């Protein structure tokens, strides 16, 4: 991981760099890895990272003269159940988008690819011919040579002992061989990542887990082959199988009972270290492996390789800025680092050098985990992710391990009403309410949540709904220079008067959409900000790190102490009017304004905003008063048929309203121009990213955001489905849902501008089935905002 970064920083022009290694390169986890480089992955952006590895490993020799040991043997992953089949179809679409060759193959086609497999229970395979494996040491050395050729430095046998930040924000790194002062530091210490982080007060959410693979003696059936076998990934045995000479390497990811490693710290003196083999722990999975490859049953075991792999609570790595620290970066936590090192290096180098990457990195950003994560949550979730390595992750499924971390006071009340929970940034949030109280039957198609979600949507549209929206970030930005700071950051005009609310976007210097926030001005020097909960630390750092020397600005994060109750729908005014003396009429309390009021005797900042596109208020209040407020709203709402609703209904309704979402349609690799939100941008003032955004205005665009209707069967768009015009791929979906209020399956997509006009048609491959789509001119629901202004 570290060498991958050094190499790509050099290619980005940063060669005044040094990689400090306590022993030899690869002496941590890298040297003993099996070297597999899988293309199959259920995330678009991580798939780009994975695909880049085989690209780099196959061309490094030309650049450096060093062979990386690449074996382009291809791979087949096996599916047995209908859910796995749907998942494979979804991933097949992602791989088309990334440009990775992949084929869905029937069980009858698999023996021709791998003659030793028993495919009796196999329903489908996904064949990725460009997949393969490499020699981790050779690949690392080739990247190191490439970095050195360009002027980067590598100092071996030199342990980092300590780090301190200097007053000018540079870092002093104390090593065994002396002191280095650097503008930027990167933690790429593998299993030592948490210990290196602790030197600067960081709690790094990583737990290492021991992984073992066995190497067999020669197997006659393998010896007899005339070409190398593809790598197989088998969910039943939770194993990978790859050929090693005339034997096999078999690596099980135990689905239970795995062992953590070095939780209390790893001895600094360990090097080229292996943990003691415990092959008996693997037996249940090796038995299944023998059923899959009968030739393995009689094979002898030559070697067991057992070593630690870093895992994070969501199986992703930590790539990007460390929370709360300037110029300190993370490049650590990879569970398949031989695969991920090159791509992480490439995109992290872009981020460090240019302030922005060409892919969406939110799922990789270390700040996606907050202070809640270190400890039990990281421990339980990381082990669970290890166990689930080869299992299908269903839409809407949130694993139980490590939860709950953070519940609002309404948790028990809502749970008793059949709440189906999800975890976001540690918070428990309701997805929907199951009237039969039964857990969701997950599906890639319209599943058991479809009907109840629709009932919530219609209840809000026709009457009124109430929801706990506390899982949003909340900050007070105050002081004489607060307006100046926000004005500099926001591409949009700030609210001009007290009580005004604006939706604003904050951009990078390159014009990428970095943040989206709602800003309410309560006084000229007092602003209240709300943004997505996963952005809590990200946005906090963005705000704080942009305060200039001597400016009078305080940013206070009140996320944990503030509850939000949303009351929305045509009868919301009638409900709230029973609970407050404040005038809620349209004349006194207009749409997009906010003010302090008392509701049921509880002090609230009431914001007249509605993400679902109806008359409504968000009541921001002290979290501990939430139950009283909710009970009062329920009581007043009962005669109006009030419904509880969750995040699924909210997502449906924002799509019916054609509201774009941060992280979905609005991401850092997109400017407001492609996103079609330039009407929010105020080019008459200065803001970060203005120049780049103006320039983009005059350029030919590769893609623009469209809002469209799908001729859906039993599955709606989820996002990351490929869009085709005939055989030509012209775009990608970013999110979708069935719009119950309008009887249409709706979605957003980025498509080539030739297909962006209303009425343009194309097809979307939803679960590998081409479905027709047509671009819509305006929001499917209330395009003129009449229901918001009443
Ligand atoms: C048995 C096994 C099989 C695996 N198979 C695969 C596979 O097939 N495919 C795949 O993609 N991945 C595989 N992995 C995972 C892969 O090995 C790791 O994800 C990867 O090696 C992590 O790389 P890294 O650079 O983060 O860590 P490391 O390789 O551990 O590098 C971190 C380096 O930091 C150095 N360091 C730490 N602290 C300091 C300090 N204070 N000062 C100076 N230097 C320091 C260490 O010495 C070390 O060299 C496997 C792992 C295991 C255990």
């Amino acid at each position: 991981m570290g060498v991958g970064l050094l190499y790509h920083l050099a290619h980005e022009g940063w060669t005044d760099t040094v990689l400090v290694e306590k022993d030899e390169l690869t002496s941590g986890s890298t040297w003993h890895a099996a070297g597999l480089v899988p293309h199959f992955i259920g995330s678009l952006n991580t798939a780009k990272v994975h695909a880049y590895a085989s690209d780099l490993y196959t061309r490094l020799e030309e650049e450096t003269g060093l062979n990386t040991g690449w074996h382009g043997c291809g791979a087949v992953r096996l599916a047995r159940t209908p859910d796995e089949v749907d998942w494979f179809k979804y991933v097949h679409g992602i791989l088309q988008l990334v440009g990775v060759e992949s084929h869905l193959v029937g069980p009858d086609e698999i023996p021709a690819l791998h003659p030793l497999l028993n495919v009796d229970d196999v329903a489908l395979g996904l064949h990725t011919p460009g997949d393969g494996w490499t020699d981790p040491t050779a690949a690392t050395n080739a990247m190191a040579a490439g970095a050195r050729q360009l002027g980067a430095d590598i100092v071996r046998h030199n342990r980092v002992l300590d780090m301190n930040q200097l007053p000018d924000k540079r870092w002093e790194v104390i090593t065994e061989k002396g002191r280095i002062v650097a503008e930027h530091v990167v933690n790429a210490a593998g299993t030592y990542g948490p210990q290196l982080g602790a030197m600067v007060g960081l709690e790094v959410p990583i737990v290492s887990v021991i992984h073992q693979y066995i190497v067999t003696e020669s197997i006659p059936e393998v010896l007899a082959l005339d070409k190398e076998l593809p790598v197989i990934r088998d969910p039943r045995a939770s194993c990978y199988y790859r050929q090693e000479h005339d034997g096999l390497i078999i690596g099980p990811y135990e689905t239970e009972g795995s062992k953590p490693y070095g939780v209390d710290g790893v001895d600094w003196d360990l090097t080229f270290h292996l943990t003691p083999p415990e092959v008996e722990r693997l037996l249940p999975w090796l038995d299944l492996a023998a059923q899959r490859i009968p030739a393995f049953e009689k094979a002898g075991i030559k070697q067991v390789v057992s070593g630690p792999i870093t895992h994070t609570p969501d199986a992703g790595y930590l790539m990007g800025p460390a929370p709360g620290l300037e110029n300190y970066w993370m490049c650590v936590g990879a569970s398949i680092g031989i695969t991920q090192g090159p791509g992480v290096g490439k995109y992290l180098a872009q981020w460090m050098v240019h302030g922005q990457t060409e892919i969406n990195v939110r799922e990789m950003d270390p700040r996606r985990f907050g202070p809640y994560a270190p400890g039990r949550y990281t421990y339980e979730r990381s082990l669970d992710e290890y166990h689930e390595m080869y299992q299908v992750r269903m839409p809407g499924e949130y694993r139980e391990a490590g939860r709950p971390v953070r519940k609002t006071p309404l948790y028990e009340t809502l749970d008793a009403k059949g709440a189906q929970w999800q975890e976001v940034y540690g918070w428990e949030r309701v997805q929907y309410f199951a009237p039969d109280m039964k857990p969701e039957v997950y599906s890639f198609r319209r599943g058991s949540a479809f009907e109840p979600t629709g009932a919530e949507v219609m209840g809000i549209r026709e009457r009124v709904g109430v929801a706990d929206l506390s899982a949003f970030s909340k900050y007070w930005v105050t002081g004489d220079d607060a307006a100046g700071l926000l004005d500099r950051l926001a591409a949009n005009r700030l609210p001009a008067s007290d009580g005004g609310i604006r939706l604003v976007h904050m951009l990078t210097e390159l014009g990428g959409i970095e943040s989206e926030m709602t800003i309410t001005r309560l006084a000229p020097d007092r602003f209240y900000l709300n943004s997505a909960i996963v952005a809590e630390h990200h946005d906090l750092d963005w705000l704080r790190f942009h305060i200039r020397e001597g400016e009078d600005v305080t940013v206070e994060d009140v996320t944990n102490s503030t509850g939000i109750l949303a009351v929305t729908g045509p009868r919301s005014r009638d409900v709230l009017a029973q609970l407050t003396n404040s005038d809620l009429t349209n004349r006194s309390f207009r749409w997009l304004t906010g003010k302090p009021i008392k509701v049921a005797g509880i002090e609230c900042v009431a914001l007249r905003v509605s993400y679902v596109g109806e008359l409504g208020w968000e009541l921001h209040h002290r979290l501990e008063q939430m139950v009283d407020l909710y009970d009062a709203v329920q009581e007043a709402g009962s005669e109006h048929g009030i419904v509880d609703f969750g995040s699924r209904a909210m997502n449906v309704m924002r799509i019916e309203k054609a509201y774009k979402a941060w992280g979905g349609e609005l991401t850092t690799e997109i400017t407001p121009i492609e996103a079609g939100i330039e009407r929010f941008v105020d080019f008459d003032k200065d803001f970060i990213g203005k120049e780049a955004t103006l320039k983009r205005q005059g350029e030919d665009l590769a893609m623009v955001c469209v809002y469209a209707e799908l001729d859906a069967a039993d599955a709606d768009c989820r996002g990351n489905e490929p869009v085709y015009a005939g055989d030509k791929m012209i775009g990608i979906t970013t999110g979708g849902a069935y719009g119950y209020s309008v009887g249409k399956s709706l979605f957003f997509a980025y498509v080539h501008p030739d297909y962006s006009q209303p009425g343009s048609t194309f097809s979307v491959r939803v679960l590998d089935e081409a479905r027709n789509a047509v671009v819509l001119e305006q929001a499917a629901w209330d395009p003129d905002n009449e229901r918001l202004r009443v």
Side-chain angles (χ1 to χ4, degrees), residues 310-571:
T310 49
H311 276 259
T312 67
D314 64 4
Y317 40 80
L318 306 177
M319 175 193 118
L325 295 176
E326 276 181 274
N327 309 328
Y328 187 110
W329 303 81
M330 311 288 281
C331 181
V332 72
S335 58
I336 33 178
I338 314 308
T339 311
Q340 296 165 338
V344 167
K346 175 180 169 174
Y347 297 115
L348 183 54
Q350 290 180 353
W351 201 342
M352 293 176 69
V353 174
H354 306 292
Q356 179 179 325
T357 55
E358 66 186 276
I359 64 168
N360 179 5
V361 289
R362 289 283 83 90
E363 75 198 55
M364 309 167 194
D365 190 331
R367 297 165 296 182
R368 69 187 184 277
F369 299 113
Y372 66 88
R376 179 181 76 96
Y377 176 87
T378 295
Y379 182 85
E380 291 183 17
R381 289 211 63 77
S382 301
L383 288 177
D384 190 61
E385 286 293 343
Y386 179 90
H387 297 148
E388 291 290 304
M389 259 327 246
Y390 277 5
Q391 307 311 313
V392 54
R393 187 61 47 87
M394 298 299 291
E397 182 188 359
Y398 290 80
R399 306 271 310 157
E400 291 298 325
R403 293 169 55 200
V405 178
R406 198 180 272 164
K407 302 190 288 188
T408 76
L410 280 185
Y411 182 89
E412 276 73 25
T413 310
L414 301 182
D415 199 52
K417 291 181 161 188
Q420 304 292 308
W421 298 97
Q422 65 187 148
E423 182 251 287
V424 277
Y425 200 72
W427 291 76
E428 292 296 321
R429 183 167 76 183
V430 180
Q431 298 194 70
Y432 73 98
F433 292 85
D436 58 4
M437 309 294 285
K438 288 198 183 133
E440 179 175 1
V441 183
Y442 301 113
S443 176
F444 281 82
R445 297 166 192 274
R446 291 174 188 165
S448 66
F450 186 76
E451 296 295 335
T453 302
E456 290 171 22
V457 169
M458 296 316 292
I460 301 165
R461 290 272 186 249
E462 289 165 5
R463 304 184 304 278
V464 54
V466 57
D468 177 355
L469 299 191
S470 303
F472 272 88
S473 303
K474 308 133 199 158
Y475 319 91
W476 284 102
V477 180
T478 53
D480 286 348
D481 297 309
L485 169 74
L486 295 175
D487 193 47
R488 200 159 68 231
L489 295 180
N492 328 76
R493 196 166 306 174
L494 293 185
S497 52
D498 293 350
I501 300 177
R502 286 279 175 140
L503 181 69
V504 308
H505 302 97
M506 299 185 179
L507 311 183
T508 66
E509 291 288 354
L510 297 180
I513 301 167
E514 185 73 16
S515 298
E516 183 187 54
M517 301 198 196
T518 306
I519 299 187
T520 307
R521 178 176 137 171
L522 285 149
D525 60 353
R526 195 169 155 72
F527 297 85
Y528 182 55
L529 274 55
N530 300 120
S531 63
I533 187 66
V534 287
E536 183 184 348
H537 222 305
H538 169 277
D539 287 347
L540 187 64
D541 285 354
W542 194 256
L543 292 166
R544 282 190 179 155
F545 294 165
H546 279 98
I547 299 173
R548 290 181 185 150
E549 186 91 31
E551 276 188 327
D552 171 26
V553 188
T554 307
V555 181
E556 190 191 356
D557 183 355
V558 293
T559 301
N560 289 345
S561 57
T562 309
I564 307 177
L565 204 66
V567 183
T568 186
R571 296 198 203 159

Side-chain angles (χ1 to χ4, degrees), residues 223-238:
L223 188 62
L225 295 167
D226 55 8
K227 69 172 174 61
E228 186 175 348
L229 292 168
V231 175
I232 298 294
R233 294 187 176 80
D234 175 5
R236 187 180 64 177
S238 194

Side-chain angles (χ1 to χ4, degrees), residues 455-756:
E456 290 171 22
V457 169
M458 296 316 292
I460 301 165
R461 290 272 186 249
E462 289 165 5
R463 304 184 304 278
V464 54
V466 57
D468 177 355
L469 299 191
S470 303
F472 272 88
S473 303
K474 308 133 199 158
Y475 319 91
W476 284 102
V477 180
T478 53
D480 286 348
D481 297 309
L485 169 74
L486 295 175
D487 193 47
R488 200 159 68 231
L489 295 180
N492 328 76
R493 196 166 306 174
L494 293 185
S497 52
D498 293 350
I501 300 177
R502 286 279 175 140
L503 181 69
V504 308
H505 302 97
M506 299 185 179
L507 311 183
T508 66
E509 291 288 354
L510 297 180
I513 301 167
E514 185 73 16
S515 298
E516 183 187 54
M517 301 198 196
T518 306
I519 299 187
T520 307
R521 178 176 137 171
L522 285 149
D525 60 353
R526 195 169 155 72
F527 297 85
Y528 182 55
L529 274 55
N530 300 120
S531 63
I533 187 66
V534 287
E536 183 184 348
H537 222 305
H538 169 277
D539 287 347
L540 187 64
D541 285 354
W542 194 256
L543 292 166
R544 282 190 179 155
F545 294 165
H546 279 98
I547 299 173
R548 290 181 185 150
E549 186 91 31
E551 276 188 327
D552 171 26
V553 188
T554 307
V555 181
E556 190 191 356
D557 183 355
V558 293
T559 301
N560 289 345
S561 57
T562 309
I564 307 177
L565 204 66
V567 183
T568 186
R571 296 198 203 159
S572 54
R573 182 179 284 126
D574 302 333
V575 174
L576 290 179
Q578 297 173 59
L579 302 172
T580 182
N581 293 329
S582 298
D583 185 355
L584 299 182
T585 59
N586 205 28
R587 199 169 27 83
S588 303
F589 209 141
R590 281 182 302 110
W591 180 42
L592 294 180
T593 63
K595 57 180 135 175
I597 64 171
K598 267 191 180 178
V599 180
I602 294 166
E603 303 279 358
C604 298
V605 174
L607 308 184
R608 192 173 156 193
V609 289
S610 171
Y611 195 49
V612 304
E614 296 292 336
L615 172 70
W617 281 264
E618 283 181 3
L619 306 174
H620 296 240
H621 57 281
R622 288 201 356 249
L623 191 67
E624 60 270 24
Q625 295 182 300
M626 190 159 213
V627 171
D628 289 343
L629 187 59
Y630 174 84
D631 286 347
V633 168
Q634 276 291 353
E635 202 183 324
S638 61
E639 64 178 284
H640 298 282
I642 197 165
V643 292
D644 290 287
F645 68 96
S647 60
R648 298 256 185 115
M650 206 155 83
N651 186 49
V652 165
M653 297 172 83
R654 71 104 184 165
I655 290 178
E656 289 178 342
K657 268 298 281 171
Y659 289 156
K660 291 162 188 161
W662 182 80
E665 290 72 44
L666 310 179
T667 63
T668 312
E669 79 273 28
I670 301 287
T671 76
I673 308 302
E674 293 98 330
I677 55 167
E678 61 269 42
R679 69 176 188 283
F680 290 108
V681 178
D682 179 5
F683 287 108
D684 293 336
K685 65 160 199 136
D686 281 336
F687 58 87
I688 293 174
K690 177 178 173 181
E691 218 170 294
T693 312
L694 272 173
K695 188 163 162 275
R696 187 62 62 93
Q697 241 183 351
E699 290 173 353
D700 286 342
L701 303 177
M703 284 194 183
V704 292
C705 192
V706 296
Y707 176 66
E709 180 184 351
L710 183 79
D711 175 22
D714 60 348
D716 304 293
C717 291
R718 296 181 60 204
N720 296 334
E721 286 95 359
V723 178
Y724 283 91
D727 291 341
K728 197 169 119 202
M729 192 189 297
I730 56 147
I732 173 174
T733 67
T734 53
Y738 179 74
Y740 303 84
S741 325
V742 292
K744 291 176 176 170
S745 182
L746 301 163
F747 67 98
F748 284 107
Y750 276 88
V751 300
H752 189 275
D754 286 353
Y755 299 89
S756 62

Side-chain angles (χ1 to χ4, degrees), residues 111-302:
L113 296 166
H114 195 301
L116 307 186
L117 288 185
N118 174 350
V119 290
D120 284 355
D121 62 337
V122 173
L124 193 79
L126 189 100
H127 179 212
T128 42
D131 216 304
W133 60 278
T134 196
D135 172 349
T137 302
T140 307
N141 287 333
M143 290 193 291
R148 282 196 184 103
Q149 270 174 15
L150 292 172
D153 203 2
I154 295 176
V155 179
R156 292 171 301 136
H157 301 285
N158 187 25
R159 179 150 70 88
V160 172
L161 303 170
D162 203 359
M163 279 190 215
N164 309 295
Q165 192 160 31
L166 302 171
D168 65 2
K169 302 285 164 71
R170 290 184 305 162
W171 289 93
E172 174 191 51
V173 182
I174 316 287
T175 75
E176 286 172 335
K177 292 186 180 170
R179 172 178 177 267
I180 305 169
V181 174
E183 284 153 87
H184 296 265
V185 290
V186 184
N187 179 343
T191 48
Y192 295 93
Q195 282 157 268
L196 207 77
M199 292 175 187
V200 297
L202 273 182
E203 289 190 292
V204 179
I206 288 178
V207 165
S208 292
V209 185
I210 293 175
H211 176 63
Q212 311 183 72
Y213 63 80
I214 61 158
V215 188
T216 73
E217 304 275 7
S218 174
I219 297 176
E221 290 86 342
V222 178
L223 188 62
L225 295 167
D226 55 8
K227 69 172 174 61
E228 186 175 348
L229 292 168
V231 175
I232 298 294
R233 294 187 176 80
D234 175 5
R236 187 180 64 177
S238 194
C239 280
Y240 53 83
Y241 316 118
R242 89 145 159 89
Q243 186 174 338
E244 172 80 346
H245 304 298
D246 47 10
L248 293 173
I249 279 182
I250 300 185
Y253 284 98
E254 310 91 282
T255 50
E256 56 184 34
S258 65
K259 273 201 171 171
Y261 170 86
V263 175
D264 298 320
V266 182
D267 186 343
W268 288 112
D269 292 330
L270 291 180
T271 177
F272 293 106
H273 172 66
L274 290 175
T275 45
E278 290 183 89
V279 79
E280 59 293 342
R281 277 208 292 124
L282 305 181
L283 290 179
W285 296 277
L286 291 179
D287 279 349
L288 292 166
Q291 290 174 32
R292 181 68 69 210
I293 305 187
F296 162 57
E297 206 167 4
K298 292 189 251 55
I301 293 179
K302 190 162 70 180

